[in-house]
Amino acid sequence: MIIIQLNERQEKIVEIVKNNGPITGEHIADKLQLTRASLRPDLAFLTQIGLLEARPRVGYYYKDGRNSYSVYEKMIDLKVRDYMSAPIVIDEKTSVYDGIVSLFVNDVGTIFVIKEQGILEGVVSRKDMLKMAIGKADINQLPVGVIMTRMPNLIVTFAEESLWTAARKLITHQIDGLPVVSERMDGKYEVVGRLTKSSITRAFVDLGAGNIID
Ligand code: ADP
């Protein structure tokens, strides 16, 4: 049997979670009069060795074998909103040249094309633009509106959708990213975020570390 020696602070955290769980990292930090950031390594360690369980938006549980919360359950609890990032958007009149510059400046692979009020119109990927750049077109004159994939052919996700469903859309449609949208009263989609294969990779790493956000 392997015996793991906890340090004094880790012992205190386990006591707090035993008595108060489920409890957020923020509240544990308050009780110890420490910052959330300074507790992060201890919480990560305690979840990795399986003494505590972290559940998104609920907090930490003491794991006594009965309340075990499986990786599968954790996974289906994750929402797009936990992992989406800021969208990079341009107007359909933007030239392909400027679109390519935007890819580099923002370090992204996919750009969303919007019209007034952030309404989603199209998606333009790095290969859409690369194709034009190696052809004969004048990419300074050519607007992205001509080459983008347009509504209603866009695959989208929603902040409240499960991350797993969004990941399945990426695989099924063989694309790298999804606009995260909110549906307006008039049925139009307003862009509120971006979900990419990198977002899914981040979630995968967090799950493996037993370290999902609280
Ligand atoms: P790349 O073309 O750089 O490999 P993708 O695999 O994401 O990037 O894109 C493949 C094609 O699918 C491109 O023509 C792109 O315009 C289109 N596309 C990308 N994202 C979406 C989406 N969310 N919905 C519909 N089409 C998309």
Side-chain angles (χ1 to χ4, degrees):
M1 191 169 97
I2 301 169
I3 298 179
I4 298 171
Q5 189 71 47
L6 301 185
N7 67 30
E8 203 181 320
R9 186 194 282 181
Q10 290 161 351
E11 296 273 13
K12 281 189 190 152
I13 295 172
V14 172
E15 265 320 294
I16 290 172
V17 179
K18 255 190 204 170
N19 297 327
N20 305 280
I23 178 169
T24 64
E26 204 64 60
H27 284 124
I28 299 171
D30 282 350
K31 285 190 185 291
L32 292 169
Q33 294 182 324
L34 294 166
T35 64
R36 172 73 181 88
S38 67
L39 279 191
R40 206 173 287 279
D42 290 317
L43 288 171
F45 174 76
L46 292 169
T47 47
Q48 268 160 32
I49 63 170
L51 260 183
L52 303 184
E53 292 260 356
R55 191 168 182 164
R57 295 183 300 281
V58 177
Y60 292 90
Y61 287 85
Y62 177 65
K63 195 172 155 187
D64 60 4
R66 275 176 292 134
N67 287 330
S68 176
Y69 178 48
S70 73
V71 169
Y72 171 72
E73 286 168 303
K74 279 182 192 165
M75 193 184 68
I76 55 170
D77 260 5
L78 296 177
K79 297 278 187 254
V80 166
R81 79 165 139 95
D82 299 326
Y83 285 91
M84 68 189 203
S85 38
I88 305 303
V89 297
I90 52 178
D91 180 82
E92 73 165 320
K93 293 192 191 72
T94 309
S95 69
V96 171
Y97 181 93
D98 286 340
I100 293 172
V101 170
S102 184
L103 284 184
F104 282 103
V105 170
N106 296 295
D107 193 18
V108 292
T110 311
I111 299 182
F112 306 138
V113 181
I114 54 163
K115 53 187 173 194
E116 325 77 72
Q117 301 171 344
I119 304 299
L120 179 63
E121 240 189 331
V123 167
V124 60
S125 74
R126 80 186 98 190
K127 271 187 232 137
D128 291 335
M129 299 211 253
L130 196 53
K131 221 187 303 171
M132 292 302 130
I134 61 171
K136 294 216 177 343
D138 178 357
I139 58 169
N140 280 293
Q141 299 301 327
L142 185 69
V144 291
V146 175
I147 66 161
M148 69 187 186
T149 304
R150 277 187 177 275
M151 282 300 277
N153 299 322
L154 299 183
I155 314 298
V156 300
T157 183
F158 303 90
E160 294 312 313
E161 188 158 69
S162 101
L163 194 67
W164 187 83
T165 304
R168 191 176 51 181
K169 287 178 180 176
L170 291 173
I171 295 295
T172 309
H173 299 279
Q174 299 184 318
I175 47 182
D176 294 344
L178 301 169
V180 183
V181 299
S182 76
E183 188 169 0
R184 305 192 332 168
M185 299 289 268
D186 59 8
K188 292 191 172 134
Y189 287 151
E190 185 179 335
V191 179
V192 297
R194 163 171 69 100
L195 192 93
T196 65
K197 286 183 175 170
S198 302
S199 324
I200 308 295
T201 307
R202 200 148 39 85
F204 184 78
V205 169
D206 283 355
L207 277 174
N211 191 18
I212 41 182
I213 29 178
D214 59 305

